Amino acid sequence: MIGGLFIYNHKGEVLTSRVYRDDIGRNAVDAFRVNVIHARQQVRSPVTNIARTSFFHVKRSNIWLAVVTKQNVNAAMVFEFLYKMCDVMASYFGKISEENIKNNFVLIYELLDEILDFGYPQNSETGSLKTFITQQGIKGQHQTKEEQSQITSQVTGQIGWRREGIKYRRNELFLDVLESVNLLMSPQGQVLSAHVSGRVVMKSYLSGMPECKFGMNDKIIIDKAGKGGVTNEAGKSTSGKQSIAIDDCTFNQCVRLSKFDSERSISFIPPDGEYELMRYRTTKDIILPFRVIPLVREVGRTKLEVKVVIKSNFKPSLLAQKIEVRIPTPLNTSGVQVICMKGKAKYKASENAIVWKIKRMAGMKESQISAEIELLPTNDKKKWARPPISMNFEVPFAPSGLKVRYLKVFESKLNYSDHDVIKWVRYIGRSGIYETRC
Amino acid sequence: MTDSKYFTTTKKGEIFELKAELNSDKKEKKKEAVKKVIASMTVGKDVSALFPDVVNCMQTDNLELKKLVYLYLMNYAKSQPDMAIMAVNTFVKDCEDANPLIRALAVRTMGCIRVDKITEYLCEPLRKCLKDEDPYVRKTAAVCVAKLHDINAQLVEDQGFLDTLKDLISDSNPMVVANAVAALSEIAESHPNSNLLDLNPQSINKLLTALNECTEWGQIFILDCLANYTPRDDRESQSICERVTPRLSHANSAVVLSAVKVLMKFMEMLPKDLDYYSTLLKKLAPPLVTLLSAEPELQYVALRNINLIVQKRPEILKHEMKVFFVKYNDPIYVKLEKLDIMIRLASQANIAQVLAELKEYATEVDVDFVRKAVRAIGRCAIKVEQSAERCVSTLLDLIQTKVNYVVQEAIVVIKDIFRKYPNKYESVIATLCENLDSLDEPEARAAMIWIVGEYAERIDNADELLESFLEGFHDESTQVQLQLLTAIVKLFLKKPTETQELVQQVLSLATQDSDNPDLRDRGYIYWRLLSTDPVAAKEVVLAEKPLISEETDLIEPTLLEELICHIGTLASVYHKPPSAFVEGSRGVMHKRLPARTGSGESTESPDVGAAGGSAPEAAPSIIPSQGDLLGDLLNLDMAPPTTSGPPPPSTGMQMGGMDLLGGGLDSLLGGDIGGSPAMGAGFGAAPAVMPASLNAPVGGGLGDLFDLGGVGMPMGAYIPPKIVWLPAMKAKGLEISGTFARRAGVIQMELILTNKAMSVMTDFAIQFNRNSFGLAPAGPLQVLTPLGPNQTIEVSLPLSTVGPVMKMDPLNNLQVAVKNNIDVFYFSCQYPISMLFVEDGKMERQVFLATWKDIPNDNESQFQIKDCHLNSDAASSKLQGSNIFTIAKRTVEGQDMLYMSIKLSNGIWVLAELRVQAGNPNYTISLKCRAPEVSQCVFQCYEAVLKN
């Protein structure tokens, strides 16, 4: 299991060190500093073995978090734990920075005592941790017996993510379908790989212990339902693509996985406030919101002509926002002249790229940029690697085609029904790694 | 409120002030003081002097203060066991507190205090807590049993805690179950044969129920525990699989990977014709792909595991090639792993796509990645025959880029392609020859020379090409020298008339002017073969070579099976069994996959059928890594072993001398140099077979047969090339260049004096400043004749190590004064510390072990030696030439660990551990020495010796 956890600043000074196992000595702290943080060349793996001791590390801005162990631990668990630890810290005191860590070191020690016991991760739900560990010191001495046992039963219980007795005057929930669409396209416009990774994020303000059921246009469910009725074929032909094929999905721990496995229905008791209900991935029939057409011509040894056309490919009534096209330039660029029809374009020497920004663009439109790049003559034999042209944008629909069909809320003990809950649904598609080779 | 102020107290008398504050009456002040103490502890200051004062603060109802004091106790109790006992009462009292959080805190902390006296008092409170009404206390107590077991195993057994722990598996609270499982699994690991976990269908059922209800971490503990169970038959196996499958949709990647581990293991037992079997296979792919959208560190863990899964069951991901395409912004460690998996998944169906990608990668920036991409193209050619032609043309395109390392890498892989498809792509040789001049890496030079030699009859100017290499013969690496020798002999056998002179030249270079016994031996063998029976020589040297096939680096099947049982863990990340990196008894148990059983017939013990069932369906064909195949011995070079005993046969000798081309292959290979895991796999021999047993008799016999004088002479010590120490500009026309050497136990400074002035120089004398190791001239500088204008003279000056000592910076700096009739000149130079390694530096094994343990870990330093292509035996023999003695060698799953000792002239011992991984050009070296400042210099010597 986990032998110890160290937090360092960028200089390699220890900010927090908690050792859980006897086989980890103080010299482990230095070993990591010397061999990883101060290593002469960039570290080439997030797992390092130094003299039979293994170190796992992640970096958050310039803070290093390292887990050390001498055993054959579950490596995936260690990283999941480190991410979780970061989330927990962030939810207590915001950004993980040297200052914040120093300011909250007592709190961090308390958390580390609670979250890890003898190197075994225990309870890491911020919701329940905050009921008895706070930044203003610990609650506990003034609680009643009932409150105490409520805390412990929540921490260890089946529904560790929600406490009893939550009340809202207005029962309300917000659903965000957030997708990032990833693309790798060849210069000739052939899709090399494309996938959407999506998340359903929910903010729930519901009283009591509501039971929720979430439905979407998952092909498997629709086909299943269709077998019973006759509407299936007709439905498909009238409104085109109705259901989507989801490659895989993962759920928040509140979702009953066995029920999903057997009936493919998503039912759960939601945590209070904001959380991620599910993640999913699709690769079929993705709507690619933009197409990038690059044209790069080398004119002699000292000049490069670049022309890039972007085409928006969605309903004309919708507007894409925050569009940014990043065209890499060679390292020996001496000057750039840019002409673009729309938006603003600038050559950023420090980033070796021309950045072209467009605030808004409607569907089924086209825009183009052309640039002349002057190069310094070099005797470097190596050719320029031509990094891909990347793109950022935001569109108000889900590129995977996912639609929320329903979200039903049942609370048997309290007197509100599904109809009384105010529900909001929003779709946002963003670019993930959206690249076109040139 | 901010806490950062606690970090800023650095003034003197701090401890004293803290002491006062800790004893203050005001609660707030006390708390502040404890916080300061903890802050000092964090940054590594020793605040153990405050122990009694801090412990005094423990009696408080302020929970925050209490927690801080506990934290302090956990850190320092061990150093102050007698004082720690003061805390016991408070603990015992807290274990009875009304607040369950406090009860749990007390029992949790008590378990972390590793003081015998305290553990005695722990038993009673622990017993109560294990039966506490509150689940939070029970789950904490469960872990505490594991803590106590770690301190005093006997005590835990005597007190019957293990039984209580077993009872907790049936607890109503899922988190208690999960912690009990975790604790029991850990305890069971240190008692390999105990039946502690006693998994049976009933308890498994309980675990599976708890699995649905507990936290994500608890699910991991339970799944990891389930993976150790062996179902009785395929029906049970299937029902467990059915209940584990839903976990594949969990958001926590560790839960997913642990579920994959259980499924991969239990699948072994399912009959392949079962519908469920193929359903399960289909269900595994999507979650594995989803892991690749996690954060990069987790992606890395996932990819290392997928690499194993793909080798075990390629069918799972065979349609998912695209997801392994490298993204431009992936971290390098993700890129390299993806590339590896792409090659494993390459097949006729997707090869076009793969090649297009690989070609793209070959233009990227990161050198390692580009090299690997180029190599991957070659591997594709060998793996997918239909694509070979396309691969070759892609490689040729890449050669046209003229990027130096791309060209070299391409040539190395093309050589392999030639060996796989002889007489097919030789038309490209002309293009390769054009790049001859740009090759500066030994591997690429050797590959090119092999190609020229192998196809000498088709290359008109083969003799000229090879002759051009011959000019700098002695500067080449051994690999290239051996290859050049073989290539020229091949050329001679093919074109005897024109190349007689050339072959004589190379034979004399190899036999008379070389210090390398392997080169010399091979030279003699060829010489005798050629002079006694040219026909036989032709048969031997130009014999048909076995084709190479498939891949070089599949993991050996038994290791693969074990690693599959460790999916998700560090072992699967390192691709090494836990015993290779875990100390002590933990995790040394070798896990294996269960056997396939028919329904109904149950195997009594899982081990009985394991051997049969676990054998892979079709043993993958593997190219033994270089040096394992006899064909390689003549044509592809490896650096053969040299031991300190009787001169071992060079590999060439084994072949030429004993004619083993045919039958006796296996037996001989069993005794071959060992160490490479691929060998064990290819020939079914245990990789642990050590060379010594076989080498000795064979080596002895051959040594007699070929008693050719110099064979027994040890390899010469490494001598750095001469460099100019004193340029003529600075010394009124006197130029001095030189180096240091150790010959027959005497350190010598070898100087070349050149007179670049117009007048004659006489009356030379030399003096050293005081230096770190007391080096001093043992006699006068012997320049007997006057040095005329433009004359050069070589002098060697014996040195002693009994001069005055003064520590220099750098350590090996030497300041020298040289006088002649014109003036006195000063210069400074650095000597390789290897000059000071004495001949009796071989430590006894036992002494070594004891010394290694004795030297504190702080004195250990680690270094990396990059791009060294020797195998461990060659490295060892090379090092021995410079008085670095190998004392022991261990081979752990493909990684050779060499333990070495060095003694310096002033009696300092340096101990070293050199780790060499087959196929990995980067060595890791750990040095331990009582005078750690020499480590850096010693490391430089290693590097210099190994790379020359």
Side-chain angles (χ1 to χ4, degrees):
Chain A
M1 274 309 116
I2 292 174
L5 186 141
F6 309 131
I7 305 180
Y8 300 86
N9 66 9
H10 67 286
K11 284 185 265 179
E13 294 164 351
V14 198
L15 303 178
T16 306
S17 93
R18 177 75 160 92
V19 172
Y20 294 93
R21 294 276 172 148
D22 203 37
D23 53 5
I24 303 300
R26 182 87 199 173
N27 54 357
V29 178
D30 304 322
F32 182 77
R33 177 191 308 119
V34 172
N35 290 291
V36 180
I37 301 182
H38 292 168
R40 251 166 285 160
Q41 76 230 103
Q42 199 199 345
V43 187
R44 299 219 136 195
S45 152
V47 186
T48 333
N49 191 332
I50 306 164
R52 294 196 149 224
T53 308
S54 300
F55 292 86
F56 299 77
H57 72 265
V58 300
K59 256 189 110 175
R60 289 288 180 271
S61 62
N62 54 13
I63 297 295
W64 299 75
L65 287 101
V67 155
V68 51
T69 181
K70 285 207 162 183
Q71 299 175 22
N72 182 29
V73 294
N74 188 321
M77 184 189 79
V78 171
F79 282 121
E80 283 283 0
F81 169 77
L82 278 170
Y83 302 143
K84 200 58 168 239
M85 183 69 206
C86 293
D87 291 349
V88 170
M89 289 199 290
S91 83
Y92 268 97
F93 51 74
K95 194 174 171 259
I96 296 178
S97 63
E98 180 169 354
E99 203 192 343
N100 279 343
I101 287 174
K102 279 188 168 173
N103 281 340
N104 291 284
F105 89 99
V106 174
L107 170 78
I108 294 174
Y109 275 125
E110 262 178 52
L111 288 171
L112 284 175
D113 200 42
E114 189 61 43
I115 301 181
L116 275 181
D117 190 6
F118 204 38
Y120 289 104
Q122 298 289 305
N123 166 46
S124 54
E125 286 304 309
T126 342
S128 62
L129 284 170
K130 278 186 172 166
T131 58
F132 63 109
I133 297 178
T134 70
Q135 256 170 309
Q136 279 73 47
I138 301 147
K139 286 184 188 170
Q141 38 268 54
H142 311 299
Q143 288 161 335
T144 63
K145 205 159 180 207
E146 287 73 50
E147 280 172 329
Q148 286 165 2
S149 72
Q150 201 191 322
I151 291 172
T152 58
S153 78
Q154 192 198 337
V155 171
T156 60
Q158 297 181 20
I159 306 167
W161 54 88
R162 189 180 181 92
R163 64 192 167 89
E164 302 248 5
I166 298 172
K167 277 208 178 74
Y168 287 101
R169 268 177 51 203
R170 207 155 94 125
N171 287 300
E172 201 169 12
L173 63 83
F174 301 84
L175 264 183
D176 280 346
V177 176
L178 306 173
E179 295 196 337
S180 76
V181 50
N182 298 278
L183 170 74
L184 183 61
M185 193 175 254
S186 76
Q188 293 75 34
Q190 185 195 358
V191 176
L192 296 172
S193 76
H195 74 272
V196 166
S197 56
R199 307 187 300 143
V200 178
V201 174
M202 189 167 158
K203 253 187 258 176
S204 69
Y205 304 104
L206 302 169
S207 310
M209 287 297 229
E211 176 77 41
C212 297
K213 216 175 160 187
F214 174 69
M216 55 192 177
N217 57 340
D218 173 7
K219 196 172 177 188
I220 296 179
I221 297 181
I222 305 233
D223 289 356
K224 235 185 206 172
K227 272 179 204 156
V230 264
T231 50
N232 190 24
E233 283 307 309
K236 253 191 187 159
S237 55
T238 48
S239 56
K241 198 183 80 165
Q242 275 228 322
S243 59
I244 62 161
I246 291 178
D247 287 27
D248 188 35
C249 42
T250 60
F251 296 99
N252 184 285
Q253 58 169 327
C254 66
V255 176
R256 294 187 186 88
L257 293 180
S258 37
K259 210 156 181 190
F260 178 74
D261 196 53
S262 55
E263 302 163 25
R264 221 173 158 88
S265 77
I266 303 166
S267 61
F268 55 98
I269 296 174
D272 196 39
E274 184 171 339
Y275 67 99
E276 186 181 290
L277 176 67
M278 70 177 282
R279 280 180 186 220
Y280 57 91
R281 189 166 48 80
T282 72
T283 46
K284 289 194 188 70
D285 303 322
I286 294 169
I287 308 158
L288 295 171
F290 286 94
R291 165 92 203 273
V292 177
I293 303 153
L295 244 165
V296 180
R297 209 161 63 93
E298 286 173 42
V299 188
R301 291 192 53 128
T302 56
K303 204 166 141 193
L304 214 61
E305 280 179 10
V306 179
K307 197 172 110 181
V308 176
V309 180
I310 59 168
K311 285 183 179 171
S312 60
N313 174 35
F314 44 87
K315 269 192 237 158
S317 58
L318 297 175
L319 273 181
Q321 294 185 59
K322 300 178 193 167
I323 300 148
E324 185 184 294
V325 182
R326 188 170 279 267
I327 304 158
T329 54
L331 296 174
N332 55 338
T333 302
S334 60
V336 175
Q337 272 120 40
V338 213
I339 310 159
C340 58
M341 289 158 37
K342 214 171 170 223
K344 278 180 189 157
K346 235 189 206 161
Y347 165 63
K348 294 199 173 162
S350 59
E351 296 166 38
N352 288 313
I354 300 167
V355 180
W356 177 25
K357 287 183 178 168
I358 304 171
K359 275 195 188 133
R360 267 180 288 277
M361 186 164 171
M364 300 321 230
K365 288 267 185 340
E366 184 176 317
S367 189
Q368 93 170 43
I369 183 171
S370 43
E372 272 187 29
I373 302 171
E374 305 277 341
L375 302 175
L376 291 169
T378 57
N379 44 10
D380 197 0
K381 262 197 225 152
K382 200 170 175 266
K383 260 176 60 187
W384 176 47
R386 283 204 187 183
I389 295 175
S390 61
M391 215 188 148
N392 289 313
F393 54 79
E394 196 178 296
V395 290
F397 61 90
S400 69
L402 182 126
K403 288 270 185 310
V404 176
R405 285 171 59 221
Y406 57 82
L407 199 148
K408 290 177 196 153
V409 182
F410 311 93
E411 166 59 69
S412 47
K413 285 183 199 147
L414 300 174
N415 56 349
Y416 72 91
S417 72
D418 187 38
H419 299 290
D420 303 328
V421 180
I422 306 159
K423 301 169 190 168
W424 307 87
V425 181
R426 180 165 67 158
Y427 298 90
I428 300 173
R430 292 199 183 98
S431 50
I433 294 165
Y434 204 85
E435 293 178 338
T436 307
R437 287 182 181 155
C438 58
Chain B
M1 186 186 72
T2 66
D3 294 343
S4 55
K5 59 174 184 278
Y6 304 119
F7 286 92
T8 53
T9 51
T10 48
K11 48 185 187 291
K12 276 185 195 165
E14 185 193 353
I15 298 274
F16 185 74
E17 262 177 44
L18 282 172
K19 212 177 179 88
E21 285 175 43
L22 285 169
N23 290 315
S24 152
D25 296 334
K26 287 185 191 131
K27 268 189 190 167
E28 263 317 294
K29 203 157 190 186
K30 255 190 189 178
K31 200 158 92 181
E32 297 289 283
V34 177
K35 283 190 185 176
K36 281 184 204 161
V37 173
I38 303 284
S40 309
M41 193 176 87
T42 300
V43 296
K45 279 185 213 156
D46 183 15
V47 283
S48 60
L50 295 166
F51 200 89
D53 308 280
V54 177
V55 173
N56 272 337
C57 302
M58 193 170 157
Q59 291 268 10
T60 173
D61 48 3
N62 183 320
L63 195 51
E64 188 182 13
L65 183 55
K66 188 165 254 169
K67 282 195 177 180
L68 290 173
V69 176
Y70 281 179
L71 188 62
Y72 179 89
L73 268 176
M74 286 188 263
N75 264 292
Y76 287 114
K78 225 175 154 187
S79 59
Q80 311 247 353
D82 296 328
M83 300 266 219
I85 210 85
M86 286 162 54
V88 163
N89 263 333
T90 322
F91 277 126
V92 175
K93 218 175 87 200
D94 280 356
C95 284
E96 315 231 318
D97 197 282
N99 186 341
L101 292 172
I102 296 197
R103 291 202 296 277
L105 177 64
V107 78
R108 183 166 66 211
T109 313
M110 237 174 140
C112 295
I113 297 180
R114 306 174 63 91
V115 175
D116 284 342
K117 281 178 193 153
I118 288 204
T119 44
E120 285 167 27
Y121 288 98
L122 175 59
C123 293
E124 275 324 298
L126 178 58
R127 196 186 313 282
K128 271 186 207 151
C129 289
L130 281 167
K131 304 227 157 98
D132 199 285
E133 52 169 23
D134 195 293
Y136 184 77
V137 181
R138 288 202 302 278
K139 72 110 184 159
T140 312
V143 176
C144 189
V145 176
K147 292 180 190 168
L148 191 57
H149 186 270
D150 193 38
I151 307 171
N152 190 341
Q154 196 56 45
L155 186 70
V156 170
E157 280 170 45
D158 296 346
Q159 295 279 337
F161 285 138
L162 294 181
D163 294 323
T164 325
L165 204 52
K166 278 189 207 165
D167 293 342
L168 287 184
I169 289 195
S170 319
D171 199 280
S172 57
N173 184 293
M175 195 159 174
V176 177
V177 178
N179 276 4
V181 167
L184 276 174
S185 305
E186 178 168 342
I187 295 172
E189 255 180 45
S190 50
H191 296 275
N193 298 316
S194 74
N195 199 20
L196 201 54
L197 263 166
D198 187 29
L199 295 174
N200 53 48
Q202 288 76 38
S203 57
I204 290 293
N205 200 25
K206 279 177 201 152
L207 292 185
L208 287 169
T209 314
L211 185 61
N212 285 327
E213 293 165 350
C214 63
T215 65
E216 47 195 325
W217 313 115
Q219 297 188 17
I220 299 169
F221 306 154
I222 293 179
L223 287 168
D224 284 351
C225 172
L226 273 179
N228 291 325
Y229 176 65
T230 308
R232 287 166 313 166
D233 53 37
D234 54 342
R235 260 185 254 129
E236 191 189 0
S237 185
Q238 180 175 347
S239 85
I240 296 176
C241 287
E242 278 165 1
R243 293 178 69 179
V244 167
T245 321
R247 298 297 121 199
L248 294 176
S249 309
H250 202 286
N252 187 314
S253 312
V255 175
V256 176
L257 268 178
S258 291
V260 169
K261 166 165 58 190
V262 174
L263 296 174
M264 283 292 286
K265 194 178 166 189
F266 290 10
M267 243 164 104
E268 286 291 310
M269 294 185 66
L270 300 177
K272 280 196 151 176
D273 45 0
L274 199 68
D275 283 347
Y276 181 69
Y277 179 85
S278 43
T279 321
L280 196 55
L281 272 184
K282 270 185 218 133
K283 278 192 174 172
L284 276 170
L288 287 174
V289 174
T290 299
L291 291 175
L292 299 184
S293 38
E295 288 85 346
E297 292 89 1
L298 264 177
Q299 277 187 51
Y300 174 71
V301 174
L303 286 165
R304 293 291 285 174
N305 279 288
I306 289 172
N307 200 327
L308 298 172
I309 293 168
V310 164
Q311 289 183 57
K312 181 74 192 156
R313 297 191 178 277
E315 63 271 32
I316 295 178
L317 287 166
K318 66 178 175 210
H319 299 302
E320 303 288 351
M321 171 62 85
K322 275 189 179 179
V323 301
F324 297 104
F325 284 179
V326 169
K327 298 196 181 102
Y328 189 74
N329 290 321
D330 280 337
I332 181 70
Y333 51 83
V334 168
K335 283 185 178 175
L336 293 172
E337 291 306 316
K338 281 188 174 171
L339 199 52
D340 233 22
I341 295 171
M342 280 173 68
I343 304 164
R344 297 206 192 284
L345 290 177
S347 67
Q348 201 183 340
N350 56 25
I351 194 74
Q353 263 185 327
V354 173
L355 268 183
E357 280 296 305
L358 291 176
K359 198 175 172 186
E360 195 73 36
Y361 304 160
T363 63
E364 281 218 33
V365 193
D366 191 287
V367 177
D368 283 351
F369 180 60
V370 171
R371 282 175 179 272
K372 198 162 180 174
V374 176
R375 214 158 260 231
I377 298 174
R379 279 168 67 183
C380 284
I382 291 168
K383 193 171 177 201
V384 185
E385 185 159 0
Q386 294 81 354
S387 75
E389 195 157 346
R390 239 179 312 176
C391 294
V392 171
S393 78
T394 309
L395 287 170
L396 285 179
D397 287 351
L398 288 173
I399 289 177
Q400 298 305 338
T401 64
K402 303 277 177 201
V403 178
N404 189 281
Y405 53 86
V406 173
V407 173
Q408 309 211 41
E409 207 67 39
I411 286 181
V412 174
V413 295
I414 286 180
K415 176 206 68 186
D416 283 344
I417 296 177
F418 283 167
R419 288 211 48 201
K420 165 84 180 176
Y421 310 108
N423 306 319
K424 223 166 164 185
Y425 300 110
E426 282 72 14
S427 53
V428 309
I429 290 175
T431 323
L432 302 185
C433 290
E434 287 165 18
N435 292 286
L436 213 60
D437 300 333
S438 64
L439 309 179
D440 53 14
E441 291 163 18
E443 206 183 348
R445 288 175 81 88
M448 193 63 222
I449 293 171
W450 181 86
I451 292 171
V452 175
E454 187 65 18
Y455 299 100
E457 68 274 24
R458 311 177 187 215
I459 305 171
D460 294 337
N461 61 343
D463 48 345
E464 283 168 39
L465 292 176
L466 292 176
E467 198 170 5
S468 69
F469 282 104
L470 212 51
E471 280 160 21
F473 188 76
H474 288 299
D475 300 329
E476 300 282 3
S477 74
T478 312
Q479 191 184 12
V480 179
Q481 289 176 333
L482 288 167
Q483 202 54 262
L484 195 52
L485 172 61
T486 306
I488 292 179
V489 171
K490 281 188 202 162
L491 173 69
F492 172 69
L493 289 168
K494 288 174 180 174
K495 302 179 180 174
T497 45
E498 311 130 57
T499 57
Q500 197 148 11
E501 208 171 301
L502 194 61
V503 80
Q504 265 164 7
Q505 202 182 341
V506 76
L507 285 174
S508 86
L509 277 172
T511 53
Q512 286 161 19
D513 301 338
S514 169
D515 289 338
N516 184 332
D518 303 319
L519 185 63
R520 232 172 20 222
D521 289 355
R522 188 180 289 193
Y524 279 123
I525 292 216
Y526 285 145
W527 201 323
R528 297 202 167 186
L529 263 175
L530 293 175
S531 54
T532 48
D533 190 350
V535 181
K538 207 163 187 170
E539 272 171 29
V540 171
V541 179
L542 301 180
E544 201 147 302
K545 282 162 290 298
L547 294 184
I548 55 175
S549 58
E550 274 284 321
E551 302 201 30
T552 41
D553 56 354
L554 285 175
I555 294 177
E556 189 240 326
T558 47
L559 177 61
L560 181 61
E561 295 216 339
E562 190 178 355
L563 292 180
I564 290 285
C565 297
H566 286 294
I567 282 177
T569 68
L570 262 181
S572 69
V573 174
Y574 293 148
H575 289 185
K576 283 179 199 163
S579 53
F581 59 90
V582 174
E583 273 164 7
S585 60
R586 262 195 197 121
V588 186
M589 251 187 307
H590 285 271
K591 296 190 180 179
R592 55 215 305 207
L593 293 175
R596 202 177 300 273
T597 55
S599 64
E601 62 172 285
S602 65
T603 34
E604 295 290 286
S605 131
D607 287 355
V608 174
S614 57
E617 281 88 42
S621 50
I622 294 168
I623 313 177
S625 56
Q626 277 198 345
D628 289 337
L629 260 184
L630 276 182
D632 280 352
L633 296 181
L634 270 182
N635 296 311
L636 293 174
D637 278 287
M638 51 167 308
T642 309
T643 57
S644 50
S650 89
T651 43
M653 265 173 157
Q654 285 186 349
M655 184 139 179
M658 305 182 67
D659 189 19
L660 283 165
L661 269 173
L665 187 89
D666 289 8
S667 62
L668 197 80
L669 278 173
D672 205 341
I673 341 84
S676 115
M679 187 190 97
F683 298 96
V689 176
M690 273 300 169
S693 57
L694 263 163
N695 249 354
V698 174
L702 281 176
D704 290 345
L705 258 174
F706 294 94
D707 194 11
L708 301 166
V711 178
M713 210 177 77
M715 258 166 94
Y718 162 66
I719 300 165
K722 288 197 174 70
I723 51 170
V724 176
W725 283 334
L726 183 70
M729 298 269 291
K730 283 192 179 165
K732 303 189 177 162
L734 173 66
E735 187 185 88
I736 302 182
S737 58
T739 184
F740 293 88
R742 187 182 182 93
R743 296 186 202 279
V746 180
I747 307 169
Q748 293 189 319
M749 186 180 198
E750 300 188 339
L751 299 160
I752 297 180
L753 309 177
T754 309
N755 182 354
K756 295 199 171 172
M758 302 304 287
S759 56
V760 177
M761 294 178 178
T762 55
D763 303 334
F764 285 94
I766 193 162
Q767 233 175 13
F768 293 174
N769 196 355
R770 288 192 286 175
N771 53 71
S772 314
F773 293 92
L775 282 176
L781 190 62
Q782 303 275 332
V783 186
L784 299 174
T785 48
L787 196 57
N790 278 328
Q791 238 187 332
T792 294
I793 187 166
E794 285 193 40
V795 208
S796 84
L797 177 72
L799 305 182
S800 71
T801 52
V802 292
V805 176
M806 181 175 80
K807 195 175 163 190
M808 301 294 289
D809 186 39
L811 210 59
N812 54 347
N813 198 18
L814 181 67
Q815 293 173 340
V816 183
V818 171
K819 188 186 83 109
N820 63 8
N821 58 334
I822 299 168
D823 206 339
V824 182
F825 312 106
Y826 301 93
F827 63 90
S828 70
C829 54
Q830 293 182 7
Y831 49 93
I833 206 169
S834 58
M835 295 308 119
L836 303 166
F837 298 171
V838 294
E839 276 69 21
D840 63 343
K842 186 158 184 170
M843 228 181 212
E844 285 296 312
R845 269 169 181 255
Q846 270 73 23
V847 181
F848 181 88
L849 264 176
T851 319
W852 182 272
K853 280 190 194 143
D854 206 32
I855 298 177
N857 277 337
D858 295 347
N859 284 8
E860 177 168 349
S861 28
Q862 249 196 8
F863 304 93
Q864 285 252 322
I865 299 173
K866 301 247 170 256
D867 290 328
C868 190
H869 295 277
L870 299 168
N871 68 18
S872 59
D873 291 294
S876 154
S877 73
K878 228 173 177 184
L879 290 166
Q880 178 152 0
S882 295
N883 291 340
I884 300 173
F885 298 94
T886 305
I887 292 173
K889 173 180 160 184
R890 275 202 312 149
T891 304
V892 181
E893 311 299 343
Q895 172 155 286
D896 291 342
M897 320 255 246
L898 299 173
Y899 296 94
M900 314 190 195
S901 70
I902 298 163
K903 188 180 170 190
L904 296 180
S905 55
N906 58 356
I908 292 178
W909 286 92
V910 182
L911 310 187
E913 181 198 73
L914 183 68
R915 289 202 292 270
V916 181
Q917 181 113 41
N920 181 351
N922 298 345
Y923 296 176
T924 312
I925 178 159
S926 309
L927 295 172
K928 260 190 167 185
C929 177
R930 292 198 197 278
E933 50 270 63
V934 303
S935 297
Q936 182 68 33
C937 294
V938 173
F939 158 66
Q940 284 164 1
C941 281
Y942 263 92
E943 200 162 38
V945 173
L946 287 174
K947 290 194 176 170
N948 280 281

